[in-house]
Amino acid sequence: MSIALPPRFDITRPDIERVVAAFYAAVRDHPGLGPVFAVHVTDWPAHEAKVADFWANSILHERCYDGSPMEAHVNARNVQPGMFSTWLALFDGVLARELRPEQAAAWSALAHRIGRSLRAGVVDRSTHPGGVPKLR
């Protein structure tokens, strides 16, 4: 018998989908992030659905996401370590506008943990030992 894990915090799938849609609307308008995403995303509804699945998997334990965020960010080749703080600040603003404070705080904490991991993966691939940048 399989026992489902409880959600990490009180939120619904429609809440997740609303936040993801609002976030990517903000991304498309952002002067720094918009062009980075535009290079890779040609079908925004499909991208948003995949990201909503990622968050539903991460928060609600729905087991509906099939992908590798680390691989996607590394393979993009135009994601730089400094972009993660901008991404997270934009995401935090959307969370604050779209959710109750306790929901926003819980999701933000999770996003920041994931962001640190992704940033580390990008940094590790863009530097030599000792933090020396790879120039090629």
Side-chain angles (χ1 to χ4, degrees):
M1 178 162 87
S2 176
I3 299 174
L5 293 172
R8 290 180 187 269
F9 53 90
D10 177 35
I11 198 162
T12 66
R13 177 67 186 233
D15 292 332
I16 292 170
E17 291 168 354
R18 186 180 74 251
V19 166
V20 168
F23 173 68
Y24 282 111
V27 163
R28 288 190 292 275
D29 289 339
H30 192 276
L33 296 177
V36 173
F37 279 85
V39 169
H40 303 286
V41 180
T42 57
D43 183 345
W44 283 100
H47 180 72
E48 290 174 16
K50 186 168 189 159
V51 173
D53 282 348
F54 168 80
W55 286 117
N57 185 68
S58 299
I59 300 168
L60 303 175
H61 308 288
E62 283 189 1
R63 304 295 177 229
C64 55
Y65 176 73
D66 179 27
S68 171
M70 182 67 73
E71 184 178 327
H73 286 85
V74 169
N75 289 343
R77 305 259 190 259
N78 66 343
V79 175
Q80 301 300 315
M83 292 176 181
F84 289 98
S85 59
T86 303
W87 184 100
L88 287 165
L90 190 63
F91 195 65
D92 283 341
V94 170
L95 292 174
R97 287 189 301 277
E98 296 292 330
L99 300 173
R100 296 188 317 267
E102 66 276 7
Q103 291 171 309
W107 196 344
S108 175
L110 179 59
H112 281 259
R113 279 195 307 273
I114 292 168
R116 282 191 298 274
S117 175
L118 290 172
R119 183 184 179 282
V122 170
V123 169
D124 289 347
R125 285 170 175 78
S126 64
T127 59
H128 293 292
V132 176
K134 290 181 183 176
L135 301 177
R136 295 181 187 237

